[in-house]
Amino acid sequence: MKITILTLFPEMFSTLTHSILGKAQERGLIEIRVVNIRDFSKDKNKRCDDYSYGGGAGMIMTPQPIFDAINSVCTDNSHVIYLSPKGTTLNQNKVISLAQNYQDIVLVCGHYEGIDERIIDLCVDEEISIGDYVLTGGEYPAMVLVDAIARYVPNVLGNENATEDESFSTFLLEYPQYTRPEIFMNRGVPEVLLSGNHKEIAKWRENKAIEITKKRRKDLYKKYIKDLSGKKN
Ligand code: 4FN
């Protein structure tokens, strides 16, 4: 899996490329490249923003540097995603389908008031949003997307069980979890977790996961029920 991030603020990605994903990169499982759009500006002052046609406050990212940056990194196999509040909202199904269908993903991060619409028309395959709130740029959304996708690249986590364990519960919240000590501030741990009865533990956890999902996230619960009946039929 190769992910290229195009941004005016490449420094924002240094922790991402160094942490967990840094190890995966060393092992050659995933390649994350951060490209500074400014390096492609043909303006004498390397400017990448300009006033909005029609007026109004705020600057727009000018098309030339983004267009050249995209063309310099794209191949026929690249899937170009613009992180945008106008995009379809990201969810786990989308994450899995991106991870499974594309080997080469290019992420374009907007800043200021956004990018020139012609870039979207000419170069962007898909717009994705991470949720409904105002942000200053698409950089954090890009990091969210990379983190979510990387978990589905085989062997990246060094923790294959994590993704396996979730398979029955893509739509469920997690059961309550406990670690040592057995008593903390006078509070114990549910008896069943100390029983060593793995079948009972699995049953308890699944029930707890279903219970919390039904209570807190009716929308996810309904998806889970739908998914269950889909698997039976
Ligand atoms: N945001 C809204 C309505 C109008 C504008 C915004 C907004 C960053 C370049 C886009 C935001 C949220 C989720 C990218 C928001 C995302 C962005 C994202 C994003 C600067 C222009 C902007 C109705 C959603 C509140 C600024 C709603 N996922 N504009 O935030 O890039 O990916």
Side-chain angles (χ1 to χ4, degrees):
M1 167 70 69
K2 183 176 150 193
I3 302 177
T4 309
I5 300 158
L6 306 183
T7 173
L8 284 177
F9 299 90
E11 330 78 57
M12 287 180 73
F13 294 88
S14 60
T15 43
L16 176 83
T17 49
H18 282 97
S19 61
I20 320 169
L21 298 178
K23 291 191 188 95
Q25 288 201 81
E26 278 166 31
R27 291 191 287 154
L29 302 169
I30 190 164
E31 186 188 342
I32 298 166
R33 220 175 123 202
V34 182
V35 171
N36 192 346
I37 293 168
R38 197 173 302 281
D39 292 343
F40 293 84
S41 177
K42 288 177 176 149
D43 177 77
K44 61 179 187 300
N45 297 312
K46 299 243 168 223
R47 284 204 71 139
C48 292
D49 61 327
D50 210 333
Y51 298 99
S52 181
Y53 273 126
M59 305 299 277
I60 309 300
M61 283 173 74
T62 199
Q64 177 273 316
I66 308 177
F67 187 80
D68 290 355
I70 291 173
N71 282 318
S72 92
V73 302
C74 269
T75 68
D76 292 338
N77 294 318
S78 302
H79 185 64
V80 180
I81 298 170
Y82 175 47
L83 285 310
S84 159
K86 291 177 189 168
T88 49
T89 309
L90 188 65
N91 60 32
Q92 196 58 14
N93 283 336
K94 184 73 205 176
V95 169
I96 294 167
S97 97
L98 288 170
Q100 289 177 347
N101 289 302
Y102 302 104
Q103 285 280 30
D104 178 356
I105 293 175
V106 176
L107 303 179
V108 180
C109 304
H111 226 89
Y112 315 118
E113 297 305 309
I115 69 177
D116 189 291
E117 192 69 20
R118 290 164 292 187
I119 291 298
I120 296 161
D121 301 338
L122 290 167
C123 312
V124 171
D125 295 313
E126 171 173 34
E127 292 178 75
I128 293 177
S129 167
I130 63 157
D132 295 341
Y133 24 76
V134 177
L135 296 174
T136 55
E139 282 78 14
Y140 290 116
M143 288 185 234
V144 167
L145 189 53
V146 169
D147 192 81
I149 289 175
R151 300 181 65 259
Y152 283 88
V153 177
N155 306 315
V156 160
L157 281 179
N159 182 9
E160 284 71 51
N161 299 332
T163 35
E164 222 174 81
D165 193 42
E166 284 166 352
S167 59
F168 85 98
S169 60
T170 323
F171 301 112
L172 287 184
L173 299 175
E174 286 197 343
Y175 49 79
Q177 301 187 103
Y178 301 86
T179 183
R180 293 192 294 175
E182 203 177 310
I183 310 277
F184 180 72
M185 299 294 271
N186 240 353
R187 287 162 188 259
V189 169
E191 207 52 56
V192 62
L193 299 179
L194 310 172
S195 70
N197 186 335
H198 298 294
K199 231 178 148 179
E200 283 302 311
I201 291 169
K203 226 176 11 182
W204 181 87
R205 286 178 166 169
E206 189 172 2
N207 284 335
K208 283 292 185 184
I210 293 167
E211 178 188 297
I212 186 93
T213 308
K214 190 175 181 186
K215 192 164 150 209
R216 299 266 182 94
R217 291 290 305 275
K218 258 288 171 9
D219 59 323
L220 286 182
Y221 178 72
K222 284 177 187 164
K223 271 194 187 178
Y224 166 72
I225 295 297
K226 244 190 188 163
D227 191 52
L228 265 190
S229 58
K231 274 175 186 163
K232 276 181 200 152
N233 300 328

